[in-house]
Amino acid sequence: MKSAAAHDLVINGRSLRVSARDRRKSLLTYLREDLDLTGAKRGCGIGACGACTILVDNKPLRACRTLVADVLGHGLTTIEGLAPADGGLHPLQQAFIDHGAIQCGFCTPGMVLTAHAFLLKHPEPSRVDVRKSISANLCRCTGYQQIIDAILAAAPSYRK
């Protein structure tokens, strides 16, 4: 990802000034420890499991493998920023609950954000398309059928 000249980030719609010291931090560490946005999880630490997934300009990104400097000037969305301001749940989050797609919840933020990015581009997906879209995210306890069911159930809310 190219580094922008700007020194600011927009995270969940909020503009932030980033210090020179913070620019050298892991994005995951910065989100979790400096901003208290703990939805993204530290899983494998090598970008293989998807637990640390956030969105950068609505594209999934592994925060554990990214420096803050790499995303300067971009818009970031964490799971905390997906829900509407009224405190309710986003339709995709509600679908995960309704379909039993959450068990321990460790993978859920990454799964939801990966699915959200996918549905923004593919609001009428097939089951196969959904399965492929989340194939880089690991879930060790819920299984994938409920997650796929939830994503398909939420898809109509992405159609205009």
Side-chain angles (χ1 to χ4, degrees), residues 21-77:
R21 184 189 65 171
D22 287 342
R23 289 179 216 158
R24 294 186 299 266
K25 289 183 177 178
S26 152
L27 180 57
L28 182 62
T29 299
Y30 181 67
L31 292 171
R32 292 183 57 83
E33 295 179 12
D34 293 68
L35 302 181
D36 202 27
L37 296 171
T38 58
K41 305 294 187 247
R42 183 175 310 281
C44 65
I46 59 171
C49 72
C52 66
T53 301
I54 65 160
L55 301 181
V56 177
D57 299 332
N58 285 326
K59 295 177 186 161
L61 178 83
R62 304 296 201 238
C64 72
R65 302 288 295 167
T66 305
L67 295 176
V68 172
D70 294 336
V71 295
L72 292 176
H74 293 275
L76 282 58
T77 304

Side-chain angles (χ1 to χ4, degrees), residues 108-138:
T108 304
M111 284 282 190
V112 168
L113 290 174
T114 298
H116 177 69
F118 172 73
L119 289 172
L120 287 172
K121 289 185 172 183
H122 309 281
E124 297 187 32
S126 70
R127 191 168 193 83
V128 171
D129 294 336
V130 170
R131 185 179 302 276
K132 287 179 184 174
S133 76
I134 60 168
S135 65
N137 290 68
L138 301 179

